[in-house]
Amino acid sequence: MTQVDHQTSPAVAQNVARTAVSSGRKESAAMRFLRRWGTIVVIVLAGLGFALASPYFATVSNLNNVLFSMIVSALVSMGLTWVVMAGSFDLSIGLTVTTSSILVAFLMPVVGPWLAIVIALAAACVIGLVNGVLVTYGRLSGIVVTLGVMFVLDGINVFITGGYQVPIDYGETAFLYLGQGKLGTIGVPVIILLVIFALALIAATRTRIGHYIAAVGDNPMAAFYSGINVYRWVILAFVLSAFMSGIAGIIVTSISSSAQPVGGEGYLLEAFAAVFLGATVLGKGKPHVLGTLVGVFFLYMVDSGMNMVGFPFAARHIFQGLVLIVAVGANALLNREEVHLKFI
């Protein structure tokens, strides 16, 4: 009996502390509304502004273009969400996209498209496994480990390809259909994205995968004393992140009919901006899959609006950087209690 009380006391203490913090907050109705719906209001107002500025913005065609252009970034961002939920960072996601893309392009003429896809996804999972093991059992910083893995993958990719793209044979119609096909007016990649989003949302909200990973990220010691195998769930978070980046690599290869040795790094900033922006959606203050998808949509919606209005391309990167800063600041306001990210 004493052991049970000892094990549960950190979690109880954490809940008591949060209750004390929340009881001290006296917010107005307007502040509560902004806390929950403020991000959604900003997205709606931005959409209305661009719709007034350009007659081509609020069209079905542009919506399809936005959804299609955000597919790869959305997959990478949703994968990163798991790692941030677990209390760490993964800087290797962009290079995991590139690595899986190169692998599937290289192996396809040898083993066929479907086995090449399986091998590429397995390789992505191995990358995530290495990251997770080094961060947990190796007790290394998540930032340092994944940064190192990012440079290793970059060197391997350039060495394998010689710095040249790897084309996909136009006879691989089944594989190319994954990225270029349509079902009616909806692109197949959009359908794949929605299916993966639905599965990720169920896993995050309806299974112990999401609950345990969130518990570990929220307070690793409390999770440990509650009987949760902390290391196992942190490793799983890294594997899920790499797996979804692997899917993104396969999709981008099918869309472009080739594998590029560089370029995956560009998804990193977008992913972090989307995850931290998404954490403010519905006032949760913590990363969640639905919020991340909304964050990605917002970034690409604004990018589309900027292009139509005539903003320079550099403005997109400036905007993403500002969004990342503002989103992190908003998260700090939503989580006023002390947050300790164990595995950073």
Side-chain angles (χ1 to χ4, degrees), residues 243-267:
F243 177 73
M244 298 190 74
S245 293
I247 296 175
I250 291 167
I251 296 298
V252 75
T253 307
S254 179
I255 291 174
S256 61
S257 302
S258 65
Q260 305 293 332
V262 294
E265 305 92 329
Y267 297 113

Side-chain angles (χ1 to χ4, degrees), residues 8-25:
T8 56
S9 59
V12 173
Q14 182 190 25
N15 291 333
V16 171
R18 285 183 175 175
T19 302
V21 172
S22 60
S23 63
R25 301 176 187 171

Side-chain angles (χ1 to χ4, degrees), residues 130-183:
V130 170
N131 285 334
V133 169
L134 290 176
V135 169
T136 53
Y137 291 101
R139 300 188 179 186
L140 301 175
S141 164
I143 292 178
V144 173
V145 167
T146 57
L147 182 63
V149 170
M150 180 183 76
F151 283 115
V152 170
L153 293 176
D154 186 41
I156 292 174
N157 293 338
V158 174
F159 177 78
I160 291 175
T161 62
Y164 297 98
Q165 69 175 14
V166 184
I168 301 296
D169 191 287
Y170 288 108
E172 301 287 355
T173 54
F175 177 79
L176 295 176
Y177 184 76
L178 294 176
Q180 303 176 17
K182 286 189 175 183
L183 290 178

Side-chain angles (χ1 to χ4, degrees), residues 34-293:
L34 289 176
R35 178 183 292 274
R36 183 170 180 82
W37 300 104
T39 305
I40 301 297
V41 170
V42 170
I43 294 173
V44 172
L45 290 178
L48 290 175
F50 284 123
L52 294 175
S54 173
Y56 304 104
F57 180 80
T59 62
V60 175
S61 174
N62 187 52
L63 177 62
N64 282 333
N65 290 336
V66 171
L67 292 175
F68 189 83
S69 61
M70 65 179 267
I71 290 167
V72 176
S73 183
L75 289 169
V76 174
S77 301
M78 286 192 294
L80 179 63
T81 303
W82 294 106
V83 174
V84 180
M85 282 174 58
S88 190
F89 287 146
D90 187 354
L91 304 182
S92 65
I93 48 177
L95 270 298
T96 304
V97 173
T98 304
T99 302
S100 59
S101 174
I102 291 172
L103 279 176
V104 76
F106 258 117
L107 293 174
M108 198 176 305
V110 181
V111 299
W114 308 120
L115 185 55
I117 289 174
V118 171
I119 295 174
L121 292 178
C125 290
V126 170
I127 295 171
L129 180 64
V130 170
N131 285 334
V133 169
L134 290 176
V135 169
T136 53
Y137 291 101
R139 300 188 179 186
L140 301 175
S141 164
I143 292 178
V144 173
V145 167
T146 57
L147 182 63
V149 170
M150 180 183 76
F151 283 115
V152 170
L153 293 176
D154 186 41
I156 292 174
N157 293 338
V158 174
F159 177 78
I160 291 175
T161 62
Y164 297 98
Q165 69 175 14
V166 184
I168 301 296
D169 191 287
Y170 288 108
E172 301 287 355
T173 54
F175 177 79
L176 295 176
Y177 184 76
L178 294 176
Q180 303 176 17
K182 286 189 175 183
L183 290 178
T185 57
I186 304 176
V188 171
V190 175
I191 297 174
I192 294 174
L193 171 62
L194 294 177
V195 170
I196 293 175
F197 163 72
L199 293 175
L201 185 63
I202 292 172
T205 58
R206 302 295 183 182
T207 72
R208 65 178 184 173
I209 295 175
H211 296 311
Y212 281 8
I213 290 178
V216 168
D218 189 43
N219 191 321
M221 290 305 297
F224 173 77
Y225 283 113
S226 299
I228 297 175
N229 189 327
V230 173
Y231 284 4
R232 175 191 301 169
W233 296 103
V234 172
I235 292 172
L236 179 61
F238 276 99
V239 171
L240 287 173
S241 175
F243 177 73
M244 298 190 74
S245 293
I247 296 175
I250 291 167
I251 296 298
V252 75
T253 307
S254 179
I255 291 174
S256 61
S257 302
S258 65
Q260 305 293 332
V262 294
E265 305 92 329
Y267 297 113
L268 185 61
L269 176 59
E270 291 180 356
F272 274 101
V275 170
F276 284 104
L277 175 63
T280 67
V281 173
L282 300 181
K284 292 182 179 293
K286 297 184 183 300
H288 56 108
V289 175
L290 174 60
T292 296
L293 189 65

